Amino acid sequence: MAKDNKNIKEKKPKFSPYWIYGIILSLFLVFTLFNNSGLDSGNTTNPTQFFNFVKDGEVEKVEIVNRRLAKVYLTKEASQKEIHRKSKPTSFSLSAAQIPNYRFEFGELEIFQNELNKIIEEENLELEPVYLTEENHLADFLIGILPFVLLIGVWIFIMRRMSGGAGGGAGGQIFNIGKSKAKLFDQNTEVKTSFKDVAGLEGAKEEVQEIVDFLKYPEKYTTLGGKIPKGALLVGPPGTGKTLLAKAVAGEAKVPFFSLSGSDFVEMFVGVGASRVRDLFKQAKEKSPSIIFIDEIDAIGRARGKNAMSGSNDERENTLNQLLTEMDGFGTNTNVIVMAATNRADILDKALMRAGRFDRQIFVDLPDVRERKEIFEVHLRPLKKTKDLDTDFLSKQTPGFSGADIANVCNEAALIAARNGKKAVDKQDFLDAVDRIIGGLEKKNKIITPSEKQAVAYHEAGHATVSWMLEHAAPLVKVTIVPRGRSLGAAWYLPEERLIVRPEQMLDEMCAALGGRAAEQVIFNKISTGALSDLEKVTKQARAMVTIYGLSDKVGNLTYYDSGQNEYGFTKPYSEKTAELIDKEISDIIEKQYERAVKLLEANKDKLTELAEVLLEKEVIFKDNLEKIFGKRPFEKEERENLDK
Ligand code: ATP
């Protein structure tokens, strides 16, 4: 973000809480000053010296105050002595006789009394201690209120911290708590992101560009009677460039751009969210034409009132209600457009999504192969790379990657190249980076027994063999038995980017996923826990076939998927009988594919063994190794064959 972005909290706080520290300090000083020893204080001494004075007959009177303090008054003659000269300070309010020459705290009263009495008896003196109780009302009062003052001080301190006052320097932020926390980008702020930095996303870019246009030249659109849209919602999976798109708008639109995140409205105090929304719109209207961008709007825009039992959502709902009201305000020509981004459009409140509020929904999907190429080009710009680096190849190797993933691959590749002391980043660094991102860090030193290693090799060879044999299974890229992340081995495929999937394609993929366990069964006649993630994937897929896509003959052409609701809730939308049927159907589908995988591997046991042996020896094998063993894959399409060129 721009370095000098201007915070909207510009107004200087009118109130400084430093007065509270001042009060505490003055109370403390006053308390010390007026402490019962303050006005009539004599010089301090200690009990030993005092007893010497007594022995010498120099003490005229001794007062014992509050059972802890002794005030010593010397005789006139003694007071004249050189050593006692300075013992009596002068006071405006008290006469000399009222001021003690010395004072000291003696500790245990009884011990002091005994010692004093002993000396008086021995020396035969007529000294009689006077016992006094002195009360200091002012001090008592101050001590009484001190805890409250401290409490208020601490409270104010905490409130300041919570309202972000720490960064503000000057105090008084507590009174800004209801103010919006949006960052403002305008002509004075330098935003470096532009539409050039957003690769792909043609449709989305166009729509967003049009929004900027609406604000700049409203007459162009309103002369024909049209109204300017109020809002646009950017929806899409994480990392696809929604925030980037908004930043580009900030950079390109020469209108004030207020940017904040949904969670910025949320505070632990009731009413703050709504007040911040009001403030945000007020500021945006003052600077209109302007754009407001709310990132991760699901933090406040979640559907209201689903859970009536808990009152904890009230504050969020108030905030949302305020947002709805502001977006639907009376003035249609306020020239404020609200942009928002979310990756959970399904959970947003329907009222928020209706036309008139977010009139436009811009879907920002995962990039396809062409878009990935463009994104690679954007992120390769700052890297020092080898000349022959082929972005087509890289984009084909990264199906399902988001823009953020690609940015990460480029960065990771540069780091890997630097680690290996290279002068430029090459193709292998990118492949390693992709592996690293998909599979996690290689753990070459993980302790693994030979028999475990063998099991892993056969398991992975099983996947590779089955997928090689099936028409619709994804083509294999590489197989490894080097432990990575949490897995002991992996077979990597290049899935086709399909928009619709047919049942035979799903079944082939399931069969390939079960190939690992089937290989263990065929070779060792034993199975293991190693197939957990395969089983999880297959079970999910089979359940989706039956309950979501209506691809099961027995359950029929129906779906239990409800796009308006995330989960079934407490009740399943089908009877117990149907539940049994669904379970049976899922299990049948999986078992059938498992049998199919076992049969395939039994028929090709020798090739499977050969592949596993190569794998054990080399640890990582590629498509070429498989071709050597199995011959050319019969179903390879022209396009797929070109992939690895
Ligand atoms: P989320 O929903 O998780 O907030 P997002 O969709 O807002 O994610 P961004 O924050 O915009 O994602 O993207 C993250 C990073 O990914 C960007 O900073 C950028 O480096 C990169 N990126 C994503 N999409 C693109 C793209 N189309 N072109 C160039 N870079 C992209």
Side-chain angles (χ1 to χ4, degrees):
M1 283 281 170
K3 276 176 260 148
D4 50 346
N5 54 42
K6 213 161 79 186
N7 210 310
I8 294 181
K9 297 174 283 187
E10 281 167 339
K11 284 180 208 159
K12 284 223 162 127
K14 290 169 196 144
F15 160 83
S16 163
Y18 288 126
W19 64 265
I20 206 85
Y21 307 135
I23 288 186
I24 295 174
L25 193 69
S26 1
L27 282 177
F28 184 74
L29 286 176
V30 169
F31 168 66
T32 325
L33 205 66
F34 282 83
N35 197 356
N36 51 12
S37 56
L39 284 175
D40 58 352
S41 63
N43 271 5
T44 49
T45 183
N46 56 40
T48 323
Q49 264 186 335
F50 164 71
F51 292 134
N52 288 339
F53 299 157
V54 177
K55 278 182 198 157
D56 296 343
E58 292 178 333
V59 178
E60 184 178 307
K61 189 170 83 173
V62 57
E63 284 175 357
I64 294 180
V65 183
N66 296 346
R67 300 172 64 84
R68 64 178 176 86
L69 184 84
K71 291 183 182 173
V72 184
Y73 298 82
L74 299 181
T75 58
K76 245 189 198 152
E77 301 78 55
S79 298
Q80 304 299 324
K81 284 188 184 168
E82 187 57 37
I83 52 161
H84 299 306
R85 248 305 138 79
K86 287 185 192 147
S87 66
K88 190 172 286 214
T90 51
S91 164
F92 295 116
S93 51
L94 299 174
S95 68
Q98 285 174 297
I99 304 174
N101 296 71
Y102 292 104
R103 46 185 278 123
F104 61 92
E105 297 210 12
F106 46 73
E108 193 63 47
L109 177 63
E110 264 178 40
I111 300 171
F112 178 73
Q113 272 174 330
N114 290 342
E115 186 67 19
L116 183 61
N117 289 339
K118 211 170 104 193
I119 295 171
I120 291 172
E121 256 176 47
E122 276 171 14
E123 304 292 328
N124 206 9
L125 300 169
E126 281 182 8
L127 188 64
E128 184 69 29
V130 182
Y131 292 88
L132 297 174
T133 310
E134 276 186 7
E135 285 181 4
N136 189 333
H137 295 290
L138 183 62
D140 289 347
F141 168 72
L142 290 180
I143 288 173
I145 66 161
L146 201 62
F148 295 103
V149 174
L150 282 176
L151 217 66
I152 293 169
V154 168
W155 182 70
I156 289 182
F157 178 72
I158 291 172
M159 297 278 272
R160 285 190 63 221
R161 294 301 291 256
M162 281 190 309
S163 59
Q173 302 281 350
I174 184 172
F175 296 105
N176 279 339
I177 199 161
K179 294 261 188 276
S180 124
K181 291 169 133 193
K183 280 184 190 137
L184 171 64
F185 302 92
D186 54 17
Q187 292 90 330
N188 309 325
T189 25
E190 190 197 341
V191 182
K192 289 202 181 105
T193 316
S194 70
F195 285 127
K196 255 203 343 268
D197 301 306
V198 187
L201 308 179
E202 290 311 327
K205 247 198 294 192
E206 222 166 83
E207 296 237 18
V208 170
Q209 257 163 334
E210 203 180 34
I211 290 175
V212 177
D213 230 35
F214 283 145
L215 291 176
K216 280 187 172 167
Y217 317 104
E219 322 78 44
K220 184 171 146 192
Y221 299 90
T222 49
T223 40
L224 297 179
K227 282 186 202 132
I228 303 283
K230 292 248 182 65
L233 186 64
L234 297 165
V235 186
T240 42
K242 300 179 291 295
T243 313
L244 186 73
L245 209 53
K247 274 191 208 165
V249 174
E252 300 260 341
K254 298 289 176 246
V255 297
F257 185 94
F258 294 84
S259 165
L260 79 171
S261 150
S263 59
D264 287 342
F265 291 110
V266 185
E267 198 68 68
M268 64 180 284
F269 306 109
V270 177
V272 170
S275 146
R276 283 184 182 169
V277 172
R278 265 194 303 275
D279 187 59
L280 173 67
F281 276 81
K282 191 169 145 254
Q283 296 192 35
K285 277 177 205 159
E286 276 166 13
K287 296 208 174 219
S288 94
S290 59
I291 299 176
I292 294 174
F293 173 63
I294 307 173
D295 206 357
E296 318 292 353
I297 196 174
D298 35 302
I300 50 164
R302 205 173 282 249
R304 287 163 297 175
K306 280 240 169 92
N307 194 356
M309 298 291 281
S310 83
S312 60
N313 283 339
D314 276 1
E315 170 57 9
R316 193 181 53 74
E317 288 190 4
N318 286 343
T319 313
L320 175 58
N321 283 336
Q322 188 61 43
L323 183 66
L324 296 178
T325 320
E326 292 289 348
M327 287 190 73
D328 206 14
F330 286 113
T332 39
N333 289 327
T334 46
N335 272 350
V336 176
I337 291 188
V338 185
M339 278 174 66
T342 178
N343 30 47
R344 298 294 312 273
D346 52 322
I347 58 162
L348 290 187
D349 199 286
K350 292 280 171 285
L352 196 60
M353 312 268 279
R354 78 151 165 79
R357 291 205 178 96
F358 285 111
D359 307 86
R360 297 190 163 193
Q361 286 193 27
I362 302 171
F363 200 72
V364 185
D365 208 352
L366 286 174
D368 60 21
V369 88
R370 191 183 45 80
E371 288 175 319
R372 285 202 299 275
K373 183 175 157 99
E374 287 179 31
I375 299 176
F376 262 113
E377 272 156 15
V378 167
H379 291 285
L380 285 177
R381 254 184 246 153
L383 299 190
K384 272 191 196 158
K385 53 211 172 272
T386 49
K387 287 217 174 71
D388 58 344
L389 194 67
D390 180 5
T391 42
D392 274 319
F393 172 78
L394 293 178
S395 56
K396 279 173 188 158
Q397 292 296 319
T398 47
F401 274 45
S402 67
D405 291 331
I406 293 175
N408 196 10
V409 166
C410 292
N411 190 46
E412 198 67 46
L415 297 182
I416 292 172
R419 199 177 303 143
N420 297 333
K422 293 186 187 169
K423 290 246 154 48
V425 194
D426 62 24
K427 181 174 153 186
Q428 191 53 45
D429 300 322
F430 280 93
L431 290 178
D432 289 347
V434 172
D435 290 0
R436 161 95 173 77
I437 284 164
I438 298 178
L441 202 60
E442 263 190 15
K443 291 182 181 155
K444 285 204 164 140
N445 51 1
K446 192 164 187 156
I447 297 165
I448 175 166
T449 64
S451 70
E452 277 173 337
K453 198 166 176 182
Q454 199 185 27
V456 175
Y458 275 94
H459 183 103
E460 299 307 333
H463 284 306
T465 310
V466 176
S467 66
W468 193 263
M469 305 270 163
L470 298 176
E471 180 177 353
H472 300 295
L476 193 103
V477 176
K478 89 183 207 189
V479 190
T480 160
I481 54 166
V482 178
R484 257 180 197 280
R486 291 174 62 194
S487 72
L488 295 175
W492 302 19
Y493 307 94
L494 205 54
E496 251 183 289
E497 287 177 44
R498 302 175 182 133
L499 295 176
I500 50 169
V501 186
R502 303 205 174 279
E504 57 269 22
Q505 293 170 332
M506 286 178 116
L507 293 175
D508 276 6
E509 272 167 20
M510 287 162 79
C511 185
L514 289 164
R517 173 164 276 198
E520 290 180 53
Q521 171 74 37
V522 168
I523 303 292
F524 308 111
N525 202 17
K526 277 189 246 171
I527 50 174
S528 72
T529 56
L532 174 64
S533 66
D534 301 333
L535 294 182
E536 187 188 348
K537 186 173 128 196
V538 166
T539 311
K540 270 191 195 154
Q541 230 167 352
R543 181 171 289 280
M545 280 181 83
V546 178
T547 62
I548 296 179
Y549 300 114
L551 295 176
S552 141
D553 293 339
K554 291 195 186 118
V555 177
N557 293 322
L558 46 83
T559 181
Y560 296 105
Y561 175 69
D562 180 355
S563 58
Q565 217 170 345
N566 300 323
E567 295 292 334
Y568 294 139
F570 291 117
T571 52
K572 289 194 165 70
Y574 39 74
S575 68
E576 281 305 314
K577 217 169 134 202
T578 315
E580 272 175 32
L581 186 65
I582 290 172
D583 287 343
K584 172 94 181 31
E585 191 61 359
I586 292 172
S587 153
D588 282 355
I589 291 175
I590 296 174
E591 288 313 317
K592 217 165 149 187
Q593 292 312 315
Y594 183 64
E595 287 306 317
R596 195 172 157 216
V598 169
K599 271 195 194 133
L600 257 172
L601 291 177
E602 268 171 352
N604 294 284
K605 203 168 169 180
D606 48 340
K607 287 179 181 164
L608 169 70
T609 316
E610 198 183 336
L611 182 64
E613 291 307 322
V614 177
L615 195 53
L616 273 171
E617 186 202 333
K618 296 193 171 168
E619 294 205 327
V620 183
I621 56 169
F622 295 89
K623 199 175 154 190
D624 309 346
N625 304 81
L626 269 95
E627 266 173 9
K628 253 189 221 152
I629 298 169
F630 293 97
K632 243 194 166 22
R633 193 167 181 242
F635 326 102
E636 289 286 284
K637 287 185 202 143
E638 189 80 11
E639 196 187 309
R640 287 198 198 170
E641 279 178 9
N642 287 337
L643 276 180
D644 292 32
K645 279 187 185 163

